[in-house]
Amino acid sequence: MPSKSSSMPSQRRRKLRLRYVAGLVANNGAYYPSVEEYYSSLESRFGYWLLLGNARHCALRAMEEKLYTRLDTKDGSVLDAGAGSGYVAMYMARKGLDVQAVDITPHHIVDARKNVHKHHLDDKVQVEYGNYHNLTYPDASFNGIYTMETFVHADDPLKVLQGFYRMLKPGGVLVLHEADFSRNSEVLQDVLRLSHCQNTLEEGGYERLLEEAGFTDYSLEDLTDEVLPMWRLFGIVGYVPYQMFRLLGIQHRFTNVIAGVEAYLNWGDGRYISVRAVKP
């Protein structure tokens, strides 16, 4: 008498094996995965290592120089709110800034501390666990505050901006290198949900929130064309795996694949922007 497994169609057995493998390497299928779950999946960790050299931002490294220029802070202390593996913080330290770096994901903190120590920047960069919704640094602690693709993860964007405002010195500068979008869609909402970016703002949203938080001297630069080559690479590398995952019905378990391909296929519905504002 044939066993149940041998009587199962081979195609179904392959699908079940692939679903099992997906459960090991990709996200856990949570409807709204946390930031920690998103960044801790093996798919995320391997993808960031393979394509970005273990950096946690998808922009070209030139965006670090752009961010530094927009901060326009030649000395003093700055806050890196969502430091990832510490590469942006180290760049700022090499420019002469003292950086307080925080992150919410434990393995990011471990990586960042190792990187800072490896590059002999322990005296310029301090790395701590911190949720930027509830930071307790004293008022007027920093000359500048920045995010590099982390503000999109905020559960309460206005609360985060109000906290940044409190911690900045008068005349202090906030720079956000983030994304916004002009056209909503079901696919976009899937991507934002799976990467815990469901509060990504629509065009015009940053100016409104920053004004509500008390900031002035708002300016925005559209840097979309400058990061397009990187996003094109994501789209090309991920396209074939994405189509395979779609056929198997498991594409939602591979957050970075669906994000990379759909972002490129729907280029024009969103922007990569540099937002700058000042505390009066």
Side-chain angles (χ1 to χ4, degrees):
M1 181 176 179
S3 67
K4 288 184 180 181
S5 61
S6 62
S7 63
M8 183 183 300
S10 60
Q11 184 179 11
R12 178 168 173 74
R13 290 201 300 272
R14 285 196 296 272
K15 285 187 176 182
L16 288 174
R17 283 197 295 269
L18 283 169
R19 286 178 184 273
Y20 176 73
V21 171
L24 292 176
V25 303
N27 70 65
N28 67 3
Y31 189 68
Y32 285 101
S34 68
V35 174
E36 297 94 319
E37 287 171 329
Y38 164 62
Y39 280 112
S40 296
S41 76
L42 289 180
E43 188 234 9
S44 283
R45 298 179 75 163
F46 178 73
Y48 280 107
W49 171 80
L50 179 66
L51 296 176
L52 296 169
N54 212 33
R56 289 302 187 272
H57 60 87
C58 300
L60 301 172
R61 281 326 227 334
M63 293 301 101
E64 296 171 356
E65 174 64 26
K66 173 68 73 172
L67 193 153
Y68 172 75
T69 301
R70 297 272 281 165
L71 270 176
D72 193 26
T73 301
K74 305 306 181 186
D75 53 26
S77 179
V78 298
L79 173 68
D80 183 328
S85 295
Y87 288 100
V88 183
M90 291 190 296
Y91 183 91
M92 298 299 167
R94 294 188 184 103
K95 290 289 190 177
L97 300 178
D98 295 311
V99 185
Q100 178 62 64
V102 298
D103 202 280
I104 198 174
T105 304
H107 78 266
H108 285 177
I109 297 168
V110 172
D111 287 347
R113 287 174 175 168
K114 287 181 179 177
N115 289 330
V116 168
H117 184 69
K118 177 181 176 181
H119 291 88
H120 310 292
L121 291 168
D122 303 81
D123 61 329
K124 300 293 291 183
V125 181
Q126 301 297 315
V127 181
E128 296 180 353
Y129 174 86
N131 183 330
Y132 59 28
H133 291 82
N134 301 297
L135 297 176
T136 57
Y137 299 110
D139 294 358
S141 292
F142 301 104
N143 297 85
I145 297 176
Y146 64 85
T147 67
M148 179 69 91
E149 301 172 27
T150 58
F151 185 71
V152 288
H153 294 303
D155 293 321
D156 189 339
L158 179 58
K159 180 180 180 181
V160 174
L161 292 178
Q162 289 170 334
F164 290 165
Y165 184 91
R166 178 187 65 78
M167 291 182 289
L168 276 172
K169 297 177 181 178
V173 177
L174 173 68
V175 178
L176 313 172
H177 275 209
E178 303 292 342
D180 64 7
F181 65 90
S182 58
R183 189 181 73 86
N184 207 340
S185 69
E186 185 176 344
V187 171
L188 174 64
Q189 289 306 312
D190 274 343
V191 170
L192 298 181
R193 169 180 62 82
L194 291 167
S195 54
H196 196 92
C197 296
Q198 56 265 30
N199 290 316
T200 298
L201 301 176
E202 297 185 39
E203 285 190 20
Y206 282 96
E207 184 172 13
R208 175 181 56 80
L209 281 182
L210 285 163
E211 182 179 354
E212 188 172 349
F215 287 93
T216 59
D217 297 332
Y218 170 88
S219 67
L220 181 150
E221 288 190 26
D222 187 340
L223 304 175
T224 305
D225 289 343
E226 297 185 41
V227 302
L228 182 55
M230 180 64 74
W231 283 101
R232 182 183 293 115
L233 173 65
F234 296 160
I236 292 172
V237 171
Y239 186 78
V240 172
Y242 179 46
Q243 298 307 324
M244 293 174 57
F245 296 151
R246 288 182 66 190
L247 288 173
L248 294 166
I250 59 174
Q251 72 273 19
H252 292 96
R253 298 189 65 83
F254 293 86
T255 302
N256 294 289
V257 174
I258 186 174
V261 175
E262 290 293 351
Y264 181 64
L265 292 178
N266 295 282
W267 201 256
D269 294 343
R271 301 182 300 176
Y272 188 93
I273 55 176
S274 174
V275 174
R276 183 181 191 274
V278 179
K279 178 177 178 176

